[in-house]
Amino acid sequence: MGIVSPGFQGRPRSSAPDLPPGQYLTEDFPVLSAGPTPRVPTDTWEFVLTTETGAEHRWSWAELMNLPQDTPTVDLHCVTRWSKLGTTWQGVSLDTLFDAVDTDARYALAHSYGGYTTNLPLDDLRGGRAWVVHTYDGGPLPAEHGGPARLLVPHLYLWKSAKWVRGIRLLVDDRPGFWETAGYHDYGDPWREQRYQGD
């Protein structure tokens, strides 16, 4: 008598070629947060880009809305192993925000309402690869998904796309953020399974 039933195949694996290793496909949009959800009115929201010298560049909500808008369609990959493909957003490319900024920085630390932070190499925020987004799937970005605005850096695990973003500080030297201090990988490339320090 066999130990394993002939019909048992284990957990179904997606055969989608678009998934990084260790990920499974989801059609919904799971909500994961490290703390309570901030509720930030758009009339008081602002985004502040601070250079390594302390120079500040500020945008109100109205000013952000008046900047050129992109509509990226991207795949999302969460460190908890789910992936959602073909998500559509609207927002402002960080290339647009960096246009008037003079910097020699190599790193960035994103800050959120609520105190969350995450670190990224500055090169990963340039070249049409990152946005401050305010619209998801044709409607205003819900607070539970980071609204009124979040960072979107889809080529990295989703914790790098800071919800409720309020600013970015440019740095000469790398400085770990919230999850990176707790042991998550400093970079977070889903295609290389960089989930935790040492991966």
Side-chain angles (χ1 to χ4, degrees):
M1 183 164 150
I3 297 175
V4 178
S5 302
F8 180 77
Q9 297 178 5
R11 183 176 180 169
R13 300 283 183 204
S14 171
S15 61
D18 301 300
L19 294 183
Q23 298 291 111
Y24 69 89
L25 190 62
T26 185
E27 296 298 325
D28 58 0
F29 195 167
V31 175
L32 302 168
S33 300
T37 298
R39 307 289 174 176
V40 184
T42 55
D43 59 349
T44 60
W45 180 94
E46 71 170 353
F47 184 85
V48 182
L49 184 55
T50 307
T51 71
E52 70 276 21
T53 64
E56 292 185 343
H57 304 263
R58 295 176 177 270
W59 292 268
S60 68
W61 186 260
E63 290 167 335
L64 187 80
M65 295 300 106
N66 283 329
L67 292 173
Q69 303 287 313
D70 289 354
T71 309
T73 297
V74 299
D75 301 336
L76 305 178
H77 307 294
C78 183
V79 70
T80 60
R81 301 189 182 272
W82 61 262
S83 290
K84 183 173 178 62
L85 306 183
T87 63
T88 301
W89 305 79
Q90 184 177 336
V92 176
S93 170
L94 284 181
D95 292 326
T96 300
L97 301 181
F98 287 136
D99 267 352
V101 176
D102 183 27
T103 182
D104 292 319
R106 295 176 51 222
Y107 299 96
L109 190 66
H111 293 263
S112 296
Y113 290 95
Y116 179 81
T117 57
T118 191
N119 60 315
L120 305 107
L122 186 53
D123 284 348
D124 285 271
L125 300 180
R126 292 177 155 161
R129 300 198 298 164
W131 299 264
V132 174
V133 293
H134 50 77
T135 299
Y136 170 70
D137 200 22
L141 181 61
E144 63 268 22
H145 289 305
R150 75 178 293 161
L151 193 61
L152 180 64
V153 190
H155 65 281
L156 301 177
Y157 280 124
L158 199 54
W159 90 81
K160 295 290 187 176
S161 294
K163 295 180 179 181
W164 316 295
V165 70
R166 66 177 177 84
I168 292 175
R169 178 172 289 276
L170 302 181
L171 304 168
V172 174
D173 299 308
D174 198 10
R175 186 184 309 163
F178 177 85
W179 284 118
E180 296 82 13
T181 301
Y184 279 47
H185 200 278
D186 276 333
Y187 187 61
D189 183 344
W191 296 96
R192 295 163 64 190
E193 289 198 88
Q194 292 177 331
R195 301 175 196 279
Y196 306 107
Q197 298 292 344
D199 286 348

